[in-house]
Amino acid sequence: MNLSFFDQFTSPSLLGIPLIMIAMLFPALLLPSPNNRWVNNRLSTIQMWLFHLITKQLMIPLNKKSHKWALTLTSLMMFLLIINLLGLLPYTFTPTTQLSMNMALAFPLWLATLLTGLRNQPSISLGHLLPEGTPTPLIPALIMIETTSLLIRPLALGVRLTANLTAGHLLIQLISTAAITLITIMPTISLLTTSILLLLTLLEVAVAMIQAYVFVLLLSLYLQENT
């Protein structure tokens, strides 16, 4: 029983071939690219409004030099948002519950922001490791602490996204299992549990959107420090 709760986080395979790439590429099919023969409708208008809103919110704290990251950050935001929401559907697989995938997204982008700062303004980027006005005896300890906090950033990004989505999926499965088990024994308690499950599902929809936004927002803040 305990193992079955974690089966949903196992990467699916067909004839020994992992299907995680299909799960990752499928969201791209839901966002068709406009062309010269594109006919505007309500769906495409809402889609473009959402793109502009996300891009505006991400680019407000950044300077003009960082606006070249707009396409990368907006695309990552939509990618994570759609994958997280699709993972809440029954009999689906959520790739963002895999720490390896989240680290594969977090580490290269964090490293890119760090290298951007070291290339464009090395003295300012290195100055973040030592707060101004630090007493001389505390300089070595503070440099080690700040360096550790800097290197742990990609791990925090990946673990935060993985832990929040995994916990939500486990809670949904636990409560739904309890509701199905109690339906023949205590129907009233089962109905109450089902209502709690519906509220939890709405909460998980919000968590899926918030976690995608937080992931990209933290990357934009890291970029702001280095530009």
Side-chain angles (χ1 to χ4, degrees):
M1 179 64 70
N2 292 333
L3 292 177
S4 64
F5 288 150
F6 294 91
D7 287 344
Q8 59 178 317
F9 305 120
T10 304
S11 178
S13 60
L14 180 64
L15 300 177
I17 302 175
L19 301 180
I20 187 171
M21 291 303 299
I22 297 179
M24 292 173 58
L25 295 176
F26 179 74
L29 302 178
L30 302 178
L31 300 174
S33 302
N35 52 38
N36 295 331
R37 294 181 294 178
W38 185 271
V39 178
N40 288 329
N41 53 29
R42 293 179 181 177
L43 181 60
S44 63
T45 302
I46 293 175
Q47 176 181 317
M48 295 306 298
W49 172 80
L50 183 61
F51 284 165
H52 286 299
L53 178 63
I54 292 174
T55 305
K56 180 180 178 181
Q57 292 298 322
L58 293 176
M59 294 296 108
I60 284 178
L62 301 179
N63 54 28
K64 291 184 178 180
K65 292 182 179 180
S66 303
H67 288 181
K68 64 182 68 174
W69 285 69
L71 179 60
T72 302
L73 295 178
T74 305
S75 301
L76 179 63
M77 172 71 183
M78 296 305 301
F79 175 73
L80 293 176
L81 180 63
I82 295 177
I83 281 185
N84 292 348
L85 292 177
L86 289 179
L88 293 174
L89 297 176
Y91 302 104
T92 56
F93 172 70
T94 312
T96 44
T97 57
Q98 306 294 313
L99 181 60
S100 57
M101 174 185 165
N102 295 334
M103 289 300 299
L105 291 174
F107 183 77
L109 292 173
W110 165 82
L111 185 61
T113 61
L114 181 62
L115 294 179
T116 299
L118 293 176
R119 183 189 65 179
N120 296 334
Q121 46 183 22
S123 58
I124 297 178
S125 297
L126 294 176
H128 292 153
L129 301 179
L130 185 63
E132 188 176 357
T134 303
T136 304
L138 297 179
I139 288 179
L142 280 179
I143 290 179
M144 293 179 61
I145 293 173
E146 292 296 329
T147 303
T148 303
S149 65
L150 177 65
L151 297 178
I152 208 173
R153 283 180 175 180
L155 181 61
L157 279 176
V159 170
R160 180 185 295 107
L161 182 59
T162 303
N164 281 281
L165 296 180
T166 302
H169 284 62
L170 282 176
L171 278 176
I172 289 177
Q173 186 167 1
L174 285 170
I175 295 178
S176 60
T177 303
I180 294 175
T181 304
L182 295 173
I183 194 170
T184 57
I185 305 173
M186 292 179 287
T188 306
I189 302 299
S190 177
L191 183 61
L192 178 61
T193 307
T194 304
S195 62
I196 295 176
L197 177 62
L198 293 177
L199 294 177
L200 180 62
T201 303
L202 294 178
L203 177 63
E204 283 305 310
V205 171
V207 169
M209 295 187 290
I210 291 172
Q211 288 304 316
Y213 178 72
V214 168
F215 188 93
V216 181
L217 179 63
L218 289 176
L219 280 175
S220 66
L221 293 179
Y222 298 159
L223 179 64
Q224 181 184 8
E225 289 183 359
N226 292 283
T227 53

